[in-house]
Amino acid sequence: MDTAEPEEYVLPRSRLANERLHALIPGGAHTYAKGDDQYPENLAPVISHGRGAHVWDVDGNRYVEYGSGLRSVSLGHAHPRVIEAVRRELGRGSNFVRPSIVEVEAAERFLATVPTAEMVKFAKNGSDATTAAVRLARAATGRARVAVCADHPFFSVDDWFIGTTPMSAGIPAAATELTVAFPYGDLAATEELLTRYADEVACLILEPATHTEPPPGYLAGLRELADRHGCVLIFDEMITGFRWSEAGAQGLYGVVPDLSTFGKALGNGFAVAALAGRRALMERGGLRHPGDRVFLLSTTHGAETHSLAAAMAVLTTYVEEGVTARLHTLGERLAAGVRAAAADAGVGDHIVVRGRASNLVYATLDENRQPSQPYRTLFLHQLLAGGVLAPSFVVSSALGDADIDHTVDVVAQACAVYRKALDAADPTPWLTGRPVRPVFRRRA
């Protein structure tokens, strides 16, 4: 058995820090996707700090980092332009009893960048924004059912969505029964759903694109279906926003939803999300309409000045520096390198890079070419030992050519071990403990 460097890769301080985290925080992290169960046992680094495309753990190891902040830090950690904007506002106060002028300036900047929207309201997290969109759709249509795309992994922490996942404990069945699902890319199936629940579906909510491009005419077809069946079309652009184009997927594909939600890249790690959309709908949450008021979004910290300043700096940087194009260029270079390394090691059919260049993920397949958590564990272990922290291959614009070259070299070494495990039809000898676990599962 050849396990090479990984046997020497130990994280004693991170291991102790993880124990402290679990003792005080349910799950050991404030986001399930950051949990140590997503990493090889006892090899989940606890981060000390980050700069650019690199992070350091409490054991002193430096990593090239991908998927930074679950895709939120797309400009790299501590980006100078963003930090300068935040510091400028911190000295002026962060929260007041009346709106700050920064709120309207941020709204103007956002709507200039995403011109398909007519109004915007800011929040602190994506779940609040998507739930507000659903609430608004229900109010506007007078309907209760929500149709979610079954092929997209996450929309909200709220009952209307989480009740449909394996982690549905604590959610009344009555809430879940109002959520129905449709498959991505299948207009006929979606129309059948809308016909079956005629005049009951308030909205269709989906990510406009994920690891595959939308089939030709699909998004336009959804637009037509929503119009014909009288429901609201909601694009969840938490991930596609700014990574697909500066104006989001709706700007790239030219299909305008009624409502859309943004987050992640919007603040480069600072807590800011947005609900945007047509004025006629958004005004229902305001004061200038004759109908019943909708409790759209009202949060004490929703308009913290420094987070909105971060968002404005991000939007300006994206537009002025062509960040989306750079993300695609970096992703294309990385994908080509990883695919070549996998092919050279004879595992090109087992380590598979997928997705748009600005949003790459990878699949780890076993000897039968089926998705495998043990093989993912092996691959993650090898990457970590080589100084690459990569639960995905989602790039940030802070990466340099040297970072990508190093990543590809580490992937090549990992692929050599992967090939040996495939030949043995058993990755177990190369594992240090239990395999990594899916985020959504019924039992701990």
Side-chain angles (χ1 to χ4, degrees), residues 244-309:
W244 263 239
S245 82
E246 280 79 8
Q250 57 195 276
L252 177 65
Y253 300 123
V255 176
V256 181
D258 298 301
L259 299 170
S260 53
T261 58
F262 293 79
K264 303 263 186 207
L266 180 57
N268 201 54
F270 286 91
V272 59
L275 168 64
R278 292 196 294 113
R279 181 177 300 277
L281 279 173
M282 295 288 287
E283 274 286 20
R284 287 175 173 263
L287 299 175
R288 297 184 175 182
H289 71 97
D292 291 341
R293 295 183 68 191
V294 176
F295 195 93
L296 190 57
L297 279 167
S298 182
T299 57
T300 299
H301 301 292
E304 280 180 330
T305 58
H306 59 274
S307 292
L308 294 184

Short mmCIF file of all heavy atoms in Angstrom, two decimals, residues 244-309:
data_model
loop_
_atom_site.label_atom_id
_atom_site.label_comp_id
_atom_site.label_asym_id
_atom_site.label_seq_id
_atom_site.Cartn_x
_atom_site.Cartn_y
_atom_site.Cartn_z
N TRP A 244 -22.09 34.20 -13.64
CA TRP A 244 -22.46 33.91 -15.02
C TRP A 244 -22.24 35.15 -15.90
O TRP A 244 -21.77 35.07 -17.01
CB TRP A 244 -23.90 33.43 -15.09
CG TRP A 244 -24.07 31.95 -15.14
CD1 TRP A 244 -24.69 31.23 -16.13
CD2 TRP A 244 -23.63 30.97 -14.18
NE1 TRP A 244 -24.66 29.88 -15.84
CE2 TRP A 244 -24.02 29.70 -14.65
CE3 TRP A 244 -22.94 31.04 -12.97
CZ2 TRP A 244 -23.76 28.51 -13.96
CZ3 TRP A 244 -22.67 29.86 -12.28
CH2 TRP A 244 -23.07 28.62 -12.77
N SER A 245 -22.63 36.28 -15.37
CA SER A 245 -22.33 37.57 -15.98
C SER A 245 -22.50 38.61 -14.89
O SER A 245 -23.07 38.33 -13.83
CB SER A 245 -23.27 37.87 -17.16
OG SER A 245 -24.51 38.38 -16.73
N GLU A 246 -22.02 39.82 -15.15
CA GLU A 246 -22.20 40.87 -14.15
C GLU A 246 -23.67 41.12 -13.86
O GLU A 246 -24.03 41.55 -12.76
CB GLU A 246 -21.53 42.18 -14.62
CG GLU A 246 -20.03 42.22 -14.42
CD GLU A 246 -19.23 41.46 -15.45
OE1 GLU A 246 -19.82 40.99 -16.45
OE2 GLU A 246 -18.00 41.31 -15.27
N ALA A 247 -24.53 40.84 -14.82
CA ALA A 247 -25.98 41.01 -14.64
C ALA A 247 -26.67 39.69 -14.30
O ALA A 247 -27.89 39.60 -14.40
CB ALA A 247 -26.59 41.62 -15.90
N GLY A 248 -25.89 38.70 -13.91
CA GLY A 248 -26.47 37.42 -13.52
C GLY A 248 -26.82 36.55 -14.71
O GLY A 248 -26.58 36.90 -15.87
N ALA A 249 -27.42 35.39 -14.43
CA ALA A 249 -27.83 34.49 -15.50
C ALA A 249 -28.93 35.13 -16.34
O ALA A 249 -29.00 34.92 -17.56
CB ALA A 249 -28.32 33.17 -14.91
N GLN A 250 -29.79 35.92 -15.70
CA GLN A 250 -30.86 36.56 -16.47
C GLN A 250 -30.29 37.52 -17.49
O GLN A 250 -30.82 37.67 -18.60
CB GLN A 250 -31.85 37.27 -15.55
CG GLN A 250 -31.26 38.31 -14.64
CD GLN A 250 -32.19 38.72 -13.51
OE1 GLN A 250 -33.04 39.56 -13.70
NE2 GLN A 250 -32.03 38.08 -12.34
N GLY A 251 -29.18 38.17 -17.16
CA GLY A 251 -28.53 39.04 -18.12
C GLY A 251 -27.85 38.27 -19.23
O GLY A 251 -27.82 38.71 -20.38
N LEU A 252 -27.29 37.10 -18.90
CA LEU A 252 -26.59 36.29 -19.89
C LEU A 252 -27.57 35.64 -20.86
O LEU A 252 -27.36 35.65 -22.08
CB LEU A 252 -25.76 35.22 -19.18
CG LEU A 252 -25.01 34.23 -20.08
CD1 LEU A 252 -23.93 34.95 -20.89
CD2 LEU A 252 -24.39 33.11 -19.27
N TYR A 253 -28.65 35.06 -20.33
CA TYR A 253 -29.57 34.29 -21.17
C TYR A 253 -30.71 35.13 -21.73
O TYR A 253 -31.46 34.67 -22.60
CB TYR A 253 -30.14 33.11 -20.38
CG TYR A 253 -29.08 32.14 -19.89
CD1 TYR A 253 -28.97 31.85 -18.52
CD2 TYR A 253 -28.20 31.54 -20.77
CE1 TYR A 253 -28.01 30.97 -18.06
CE2 TYR A 253 -27.23 30.66 -20.31
CZ TYR A 253 -27.14 30.38 -18.95
OH TYR A 253 -26.18 29.51 -18.50
N GLY A 254 -30.89 36.35 -21.22
CA GLY A 254 -31.89 37.23 -21.77
C GLY A 254 -33.33 36.87 -21.44
O GLY A 254 -34.25 37.23 -22.18
N VAL A 255 -33.52 36.18 -20.34
CA VAL A 255 -34.87 35.84 -19.88
C VAL A 255 -35.07 36.53 -18.53
O VAL A 255 -34.30 36.31 -17.60
CB VAL A 255 -35.08 34.32 -19.74
CG1 VAL A 255 -36.45 34.01 -19.15
CG2 VAL A 255 -34.91 33.64 -21.10
N VAL A 256 -36.11 37.34 -18.43
CA VAL A 256 -36.32 38.17 -17.24
C VAL A 256 -37.34 37.51 -16.33
O VAL A 256 -38.51 37.34 -16.71
CB VAL A 256 -36.79 39.58 -17.63
CG1 VAL A 256 -36.97 40.44 -16.37
CG2 VAL A 256 -35.79 40.23 -18.58
N PRO A 257 -36.95 37.15 -15.11
CA PRO A 257 -37.91 36.59 -14.15
C PRO A 257 -38.74 37.71 -13.53
O PRO A 257 -38.42 38.89 -13.67
CB PRO A 257 -37.01 35.94 -13.11
CG PRO A 257 -35.79 36.82 -13.10
CD PRO A 257 -35.60 37.27 -14.52
N ASP A 258 -39.79 37.32 -12.82
CA ASP A 258 -40.56 38.31 -12.08
C ASP A 258 -39.79 38.77 -10.84
O ASP A 258 -39.80 39.96 -10.49
CB ASP A 258 -41.91 37.72 -11.65
CG ASP A 258 -42.76 37.33 -12.85
OD1 ASP A 258 -43.06 38.21 -13.66
OD2 ASP A 258 -43.09 36.13 -12.96
N LEU A 259 -39.15 37.81 -10.19
CA LEU A 259 -38.35 38.09 -8.99
C LEU A 259 -37.04 37.31 -9.09
O LEU A 259 -37.00 36.24 -9.71
CB LEU A 259 -39.09 37.68 -7.71
CG LEU A 259 -40.43 38.35 -7.42
CD1 LEU A 259 -41.13 37.65 -6.26
CD2 LEU A 259 -40.23 39.83 -7.09
N SER A 260 -36.01 37.83 -8.46
CA SER A 260 -34.75 37.09 -8.40
C SER A 260 -34.05 37.40 -7.10
O SER A 260 -34.27 38.45 -6.49
CB SER A 260 -33.84 37.42 -9.59
OG SER A 260 -33.65 38.81 -9.73
N THR A 261 -33.24 36.46 -6.65
CA THR A 261 -32.53 36.62 -5.38
C THR A 261 -31.04 36.47 -5.61
O THR A 261 -30.59 35.64 -6.40
CB THR A 261 -33.01 35.57 -4.36
OG1 THR A 261 -32.80 34.25 -4.89
CG2 THR A 261 -34.49 35.74 -4.05
N PHE A 262 -30.27 37.30 -4.90
CA PHE A 262 -28.81 37.32 -5.03
C PHE A 262 -28.17 37.26 -3.65
O PHE A 262 -28.76 37.68 -2.66
CB PHE A 262 -28.36 38.61 -5.74
CG PHE A 262 -28.77 38.72 -7.17
CD1 PHE A 262 -30.06 39.09 -7.51
CD2 PHE A 262 -27.87 38.46 -8.19
CE1 PHE A 262 -30.45 39.21 -8.84
CE2 PHE A 262 -28.24 38.57 -9.52
CZ PHE A 262 -29.53 38.94 -9.85
N GLY A 263 -26.95 36.76 -3.60
CA GLY A 263 -26.19 36.71 -2.36
C GLY A 263 -24.78 36.28 -2.69
O GLY A 263 -24.22 36.69 -3.70
N LYS A 264 -24.20 35.43 -1.86
CA LYS A 264 -22.87 34.87 -2.12
C LYS A 264 -21.90 35.95 -2.57
O LYS A 264 -21.39 36.72 -1.77
CB LYS A 264 -22.98 33.74 -3.16
CG LYS A 264 -23.92 32.62 -2.76
CD LYS A 264 -23.22 31.47 -2.14
CE LYS A 264 -24.14 30.30 -1.88
NZ LYS A 264 -23.66 29.48 -0.77
N ALA A 265 -21.61 36.03 -3.88
CA ALA A 265 -20.58 36.92 -4.39
C ALA A 265 -20.87 38.39 -4.15
O ALA A 265 -19.97 39.23 -4.23
CB ALA A 265 -20.39 36.69 -5.90
N LEU A 266 -22.11 38.74 -3.85
CA LEU A 266 -22.50 40.14 -3.73
C LEU A 266 -21.68 40.91 -2.70
O LEU A 266 -21.40 42.09 -2.89
CB LEU A 266 -23.99 40.23 -3.40
CG LEU A 266 -24.60 41.62 -3.22
CD1 LEU A 266 -24.38 42.47 -4.47
CD2 LEU A 266 -26.08 41.52 -2.89
N GLY A 267 -21.28 40.28 -1.61
CA GLY A 267 -20.56 40.99 -0.56
C GLY A 267 -19.12 40.58 -0.39
O GLY A 267 -18.44 41.07 0.52
N ASN A 268 -18.63 39.66 -1.21
CA ASN A 268 -17.27 39.12 -1.07
C ASN A 268 -16.98 38.68 0.37
O ASN A 268 -15.93 38.95 0.93
CB ASN A 268 -16.21 40.12 -1.52
CG ASN A 268 -14.89 39.43 -1.87
OD1 ASN A 268 -14.88 38.51 -2.68
ND2 ASN A 268 -13.80 39.84 -1.26
N GLY A 269 -17.96 37.98 0.95
CA GLY A 269 -17.80 37.45 2.30
C GLY A 269 -18.56 38.23 3.35
O GLY A 269 -18.83 37.71 4.43
N PHE A 270 -18.89 39.49 3.08
CA PHE A 270 -19.72 40.25 4.01
C PHE A 270 -21.18 39.84 3.83
O PHE A 270 -21.60 39.44 2.75
CB PHE A 270 -19.53 41.75 3.79
CG PHE A 270 -18.21 42.25 4.31
CD1 PHE A 270 -17.09 42.29 3.48
CD2 PHE A 270 -18.07 42.66 5.63
CE1 PHE A 270 -15.87 42.72 3.96
CE2 PHE A 270 -16.85 43.10 6.11
CZ PHE A 270 -15.74 43.13 5.28
N ALA A 271 -21.94 39.96 4.93
CA ALA A 271 -23.30 39.44 4.95
C ALA A 271 -24.26 40.40 4.26
O ALA A 271 -24.71 41.39 4.84
CB ALA A 271 -23.76 39.19 6.39
N VAL A 272 -24.57 40.10 3.00
CA VAL A 272 -25.55 40.89 2.26
C VAL A 272 -26.17 40.01 1.19
O VAL A 272 -25.48 39.24 0.52
CB VAL A 272 -24.92 42.16 1.64
CG1 VAL A 272 -23.78 41.81 0.70
CG2 VAL A 272 -25.96 43.01 0.96
N ALA A 273 -27.48 40.09 1.08
CA ALA A 273 -28.23 39.39 0.04
C ALA A 273 -29.26 40.36 -0.51
O ALA A 273 -29.46 41.45 0.04
CB ALA A 273 -28.90 38.13 0.61
N ALA A 274 -29.92 39.97 -1.59
CA ALA A 274 -30.84 40.90 -2.22
C ALA A 274 -32.02 40.16 -2.83
O ALA A 274 -31.87 39.06 -3.38
CB ALA A 274 -30.14 41.71 -3.30
N LEU A 275 -33.19 40.76 -2.71
CA LEU A 275 -34.38 40.36 -3.45
C LEU A 275 -34.66 41.47 -4.45
O LEU A 275 -34.75 42.65 -4.07
CB LEU A 275 -35.57 40.19 -2.52
CG LEU A 275 -36.95 40.04 -3.20
CD1 LEU A 275 -37.02 38.78 -4.04
CD2 LEU A 275 -38.06 40.06 -2.17
N ALA A 276 -34.76 41.12 -5.72
CA ALA A 276 -34.98 42.12 -6.76
C ALA A 276 -36.10 41.66 -7.68
O ALA A 276 -36.42 40.47 -7.74
CB ALA A 276 -33.69 42.33 -7.56
N GLY A 277 -36.69 42.62 -8.40
CA GLY A 277 -37.73 42.20 -9.33
C GLY A 277 -38.57 43.34 -9.87
O GLY A 277 -38.21 44.51 -9.79
N ARG A 278 -39.71 42.94 -10.43
CA ARG A 278 -40.62 43.89 -11.06
C ARG A 278 -41.23 44.82 -10.02
O ARG A 278 -41.62 44.39 -8.94
CB ARG A 278 -41.72 43.14 -11.81
CG ARG A 278 -41.25 42.38 -13.04
CD ARG A 278 -42.42 41.99 -13.94
NE ARG A 278 -43.32 41.04 -13.31
CZ ARG A 278 -44.57 41.32 -12.96
NH1 ARG A 278 -45.07 42.54 -13.13
NH2 ARG A 278 -45.33 40.39 -12.41
N ARG A 279 -41.34 46.08 -10.38
CA ARG A 279 -41.88 47.08 -9.47
C ARG A 279 -43.28 46.73 -9.00
O ARG A 279 -43.61 46.88 -7.81
CB ARG A 279 -41.88 48.45 -10.16
CG ARG A 279 -42.40 49.59 -9.28
CD ARG A 279 -42.30 50.91 -10.02
NE ARG A 279 -40.93 51.22 -10.37
CZ ARG A 279 -40.04 51.78 -9.55
NH1 ARG A 279 -40.40 52.11 -8.31
NH2 ARG A 279 -38.81 52.03 -9.96
N ALA A 280 -44.12 46.24 -9.91
CA ALA A 280 -45.52 45.96 -9.54
C ALA A 280 -45.61 44.93 -8.43
O ALA A 280 -46.51 44.98 -7.58
CB ALA A 280 -46.29 45.49 -10.77
N LEU A 281 -44.68 43.98 -8.42
CA LEU A 281 -44.65 42.98 -7.35
C LEU A 281 -43.97 43.51 -6.11
O LEU A 281 -44.50 43.41 -4.99
CB LEU A 281 -43.93 41.72 -7.83
CG LEU A 281 -44.72 40.74 -8.68
CD1 LEU A 281 -43.79 39.65 -9.20
CD2 LEU A 281 -45.86 40.11 -7.88
N MET A 282 -42.80 44.10 -6.28
CA MET A 282 -42.02 44.55 -5.13
C MET A 282 -42.75 45.61 -4.32
O MET A 282 -42.64 45.65 -3.09
CB MET A 282 -40.66 45.08 -5.61
CG MET A 282 -39.75 44.05 -6.25
SD MET A 282 -39.05 42.87 -5.06
CE MET A 282 -37.85 43.91 -4.24
N GLU A 283 -43.51 46.47 -4.97
CA GLU A 283 -44.22 47.53 -4.26
C GLU A 283 -45.27 47.00 -3.28
O GLU A 283 -45.70 47.70 -2.38
CB GLU A 283 -44.90 48.48 -5.25
CG GLU A 283 -44.00 49.60 -5.75
CD GLU A 283 -43.72 50.69 -4.73
OE1 GLU A 283 -43.89 50.46 -3.51
OE2 GLU A 283 -43.31 51.79 -5.15
N ARG A 284 -45.66 45.74 -3.45
CA ARG A 284 -46.62 45.15 -2.50
C ARG A 284 -46.01 45.06 -1.10
O ARG A 284 -46.72 44.93 -0.12
CB ARG A 284 -47.07 43.77 -2.98
CG ARG A 284 -48.03 43.83 -4.17
CD ARG A 284 -48.34 42.42 -4.68
NE ARG A 284 -49.37 42.44 -5.71
CZ ARG A 284 -50.66 42.21 -5.48
NH1 ARG A 284 -51.07 41.96 -4.24
NH2 ARG A 284 -51.54 42.23 -6.46
N GLY A 285 -44.70 45.10 -1.02
CA GLY A 285 -44.03 45.13 0.27
C GLY A 285 -43.70 46.53 0.71
O GLY A 285 -42.96 46.72 1.69
N GLY A 286 -44.22 47.52 0.00
CA GLY A 286 -43.91 48.91 0.31
C GLY A 286 -45.12 49.68 0.80
O GLY A 286 -46.08 49.11 1.34
N LEU A 287 -45.08 50.99 0.59
CA LEU A 287 -46.12 51.88 1.11
C LEU A 287 -46.90 52.59 0.01
O LEU A 287 -47.81 53.37 0.31
CB LEU A 287 -45.48 52.94 2.03
CG LEU A 287 -44.75 52.42 3.26
CD1 LEU A 287 -44.07 53.56 4.00
CD2 LEU A 287 -45.71 51.69 4.20
N ARG A 288 -46.55 52.32 -1.25
CA ARG A 288 -47.18 53.07 -2.34
C ARG A 288 -48.01 52.17 -3.24
O ARG A 288 -47.79 52.08 -4.45
CB ARG A 288 -46.10 53.80 -3.14
CG ARG A 288 -45.36 54.85 -2.31
CD ARG A 288 -44.36 55.63 -3.12
NE ARG A 288 -43.75 56.71 -2.32
CZ ARG A 288 -42.88 57.58 -2.80
NH1 ARG A 288 -42.49 57.52 -4.07
NH2 ARG A 288 -42.40 58.52 -2.00
N HIS A 289 -48.95 51.47 -2.61
CA HIS A 289 -49.89 50.65 -3.37
C HIS A 289 -51.17 50.56 -2.56
O HIS A 289 -51.17 50.75 -1.34
CB HIS A 289 -49.32 49.25 -3.62
CG HIS A 289 -49.25 48.39 -2.40
ND1 HIS A 289 -50.21 47.47 -2.08
CD2 HIS A 289 -48.35 48.35 -1.39
CE1 HIS A 289 -49.89 46.89 -0.93
NE2 HIS A 289 -48.78 47.40 -0.49
N PRO A 290 -52.30 50.26 -3.22
CA PRO A 290 -53.60 50.30 -2.53
C PRO A 290 -54.02 49.00 -1.87
O PRO A 290 -55.01 48.96 -1.15
CB PRO A 290 -54.58 50.64 -3.67
CG PRO A 290 -53.94 50.01 -4.88
CD PRO A 290 -52.46 50.14 -4.68
N GLY A 291 -53.27 47.91 -2.09
CA GLY A 291 -53.70 46.60 -1.60
C GLY A 291 -53.21 46.27 -0.21
O GLY A 291 -52.64 47.12 0.50
N ASP A 292 -53.42 45.01 0.19
CA ASP A 292 -52.93 44.54 1.48
C ASP A 292 -51.40 44.56 1.48
O ASP A 292 -50.76 44.19 0.49
CB ASP A 292 -53.41 43.11 1.75
CG ASP A 292 -54.91 43.04 1.98
OD1 ASP A 292 -55.50 44.09 2.28
OD2 ASP A 292 -55.47 41.93 1.85
N ARG A 293 -50.84 44.95 2.60
CA ARG A 293 -49.38 45.00 2.71
C ARG A 293 -48.80 43.60 2.88
O ARG A 293 -49.38 42.75 3.55
CB ARG A 293 -48.97 45.87 3.90
CG ARG A 293 -49.34 47.32 3.77
CD ARG A 293 -48.82 48.11 4.95
NE ARG A 293 -47.35 48.18 4.95
CZ ARG A 293 -46.63 48.62 5.97
NH1 ARG A 293 -47.23 49.00 7.09
NH2 ARG A 293 -45.31 48.66 5.89
N VAL A 294 -47.66 43.38 2.26
CA VAL A 294 -46.92 42.13 2.40
C VAL A 294 -45.71 42.40 3.30
O VAL A 294 -44.96 43.36 3.08
CB VAL A 294 -46.43 41.61 1.04
CG1 VAL A 294 -45.57 40.36 1.22
CG2 VAL A 294 -47.62 41.33 0.13
N PHE A 295 -45.54 41.56 4.32
CA PHE A 295 -44.36 41.68 5.17
C PHE A 295 -43.19 41.09 4.41
O PHE A 295 -42.86 39.91 4.53
CB PHE A 295 -44.57 40.97 6.50
CG PHE A 295 -43.55 41.34 7.55
CD1 PHE A 295 -43.82 42.36 8.45
CD2 PHE A 295 -42.33 40.69 7.62
CE1 PHE A 295 -42.88 42.72 9.42
CE2 PHE A 295 -41.39 41.04 8.57
CZ PHE A 295 -41.67 42.06 9.47
N LEU A 296 -42.57 41.93 3.59
CA LEU A 296 -41.59 41.45 2.63
C LEU A 296 -40.27 41.09 3.30
O LEU A 296 -39.91 39.93 3.45
CB LEU A 296 -41.40 42.51 1.55
CG LEU A 296 -40.58 42.11 0.33
CD1 LEU A 296 -41.18 40.90 -0.34
CD2 LEU A 296 -40.49 43.28 -0.65
N LEU A 297 -39.53 42.10 3.70
CA LEU A 297 -38.27 41.92 4.41
C LEU A 297 -38.14 43.08 5.39
O LEU A 297 -38.26 44.24 4.99
CB LEU A 297 -37.07 41.94 3.46
CG LEU A 297 -36.74 40.66 2.70
CD1 LEU A 297 -35.75 40.96 1.58
CD2 LEU A 297 -36.19 39.60 3.63
N SER A 298 -37.92 42.77 6.64
CA SER A 298 -37.73 43.81 7.64
C SER A 298 -36.79 43.27 8.71
O SER A 298 -37.21 42.52 9.59
CB SER A 298 -39.08 44.22 8.26
OG SER A 298 -38.89 45.25 9.20
N THR A 299 -35.52 43.60 8.56
CA THR A 299 -34.51 43.05 9.47
C THR A 299 -33.67 44.19 10.04
O THR A 299 -33.29 45.11 9.33
CB THR A 299 -33.58 42.07 8.74
OG1 THR A 299 -32.96 42.74 7.64
CG2 THR A 299 -34.36 40.87 8.23
N THR A 300 -33.38 44.11 11.32
CA THR A 300 -32.62 45.16 11.98
C THR A 300 -31.28 45.40 11.30
O THR A 300 -30.84 46.55 11.14
CB THR A 300 -32.38 44.77 13.46
OG1 THR A 300 -33.66 44.64 14.10
CG2 THR A 300 -31.56 45.83 14.17
N HIS A 301 -30.62 44.33 10.90
CA HIS A 301 -29.27 44.46 10.36
C HIS A 301 -29.24 44.37 8.83
O HIS A 301 -28.15 44.30 8.26
CB HIS A 301 -28.37 43.38 10.95
CG HIS A 301 -28.28 43.44 12.44
ND1 HIS A 301 -27.66 44.47 13.11
CD2 HIS A 301 -28.76 42.60 13.40
CE1 HIS A 301 -27.75 44.27 14.42
NE2 HIS A 301 -28.42 43.15 14.62
N GLY A 302 -30.39 44.41 8.20
CA GLY A 302 -30.43 44.22 6.75
C GLY A 302 -29.69 45.28 5.96
O GLY A 302 -29.27 45.03 4.83
N ALA A 303 -29.54 46.47 6.53
CA ALA A 303 -28.89 47.55 5.79
C ALA A 303 -27.67 48.10 6.53
O ALA A 303 -27.39 49.29 6.49
CB ALA A 303 -29.89 48.67 5.54
N GLU A 304 -26.95 47.22 7.22
CA GLU A 304 -25.69 47.67 7.84
C GLU A 304 -24.84 48.38 6.78
O GLU A 304 -24.62 47.84 5.68
CB GLU A 304 -24.91 46.47 8.37
CG GLU A 304 -25.39 45.96 9.70
CD GLU A 304 -24.58 44.76 10.16
OE1 GLU A 304 -24.08 44.00 9.30
OE2 GLU A 304 -24.45 44.57 11.38
N THR A 305 -24.38 49.54 7.12
CA THR A 305 -23.71 50.36 6.10
C THR A 305 -22.45 49.71 5.54
O THR A 305 -22.18 49.80 4.34
CB THR A 305 -23.35 51.74 6.67
OG1 THR A 305 -22.51 51.56 7.83
CG2 THR A 305 -24.60 52.51 7.07
N HIS A 306 -21.68 49.04 6.40
CA HIS A 306 -20.41 48.49 5.89
C HIS A 306 -20.64 47.33 4.93
O HIS A 306 -19.88 47.15 3.98
CB HIS A 306 -19.48 48.09 7.03
CG HIS A 306 -20.04 47.08 7.96
ND1 HIS A 306 -20.83 47.42 9.04
CD2 HIS A 306 -19.93 45.73 7.99
CE1 HIS A 306 -21.16 46.32 9.70
NE2 HIS A 306 -20.64 45.29 9.07
N SER A 307 -21.71 46.53 5.16
CA SER A 307 -21.99 45.43 4.23
C SER A 307 -22.47 45.97 2.88
O SER A 307 -22.12 45.43 1.82
CB SER A 307 -23.05 44.50 4.82
OG SER A 307 -22.53 43.80 5.94
N LEU A 308 -23.28 47.02 2.91
CA LEU A 308 -23.73 47.62 1.66
C LEU A 308 -22.56 48.30 0.94
O LEU A 308 -22.48 48.28 -0.29
CB LEU A 308 -24.85 48.62 1.92
CG LEU A 308 -26.15 48.02 2.44
CD1 LEU A 308 -27.22 49.10 2.58
CD2 LEU A 308 -26.66 46.90 1.53
N ALA A 309 -21.65 48.88 1.71
CA ALA A 309 -20.44 49.45 1.09
C ALA A 309 -19.61 48.35 0.42
O ALA A 309 -19.06 48.54 -0.67
CB ALA A 309 -19.61 50.17 2.14
#
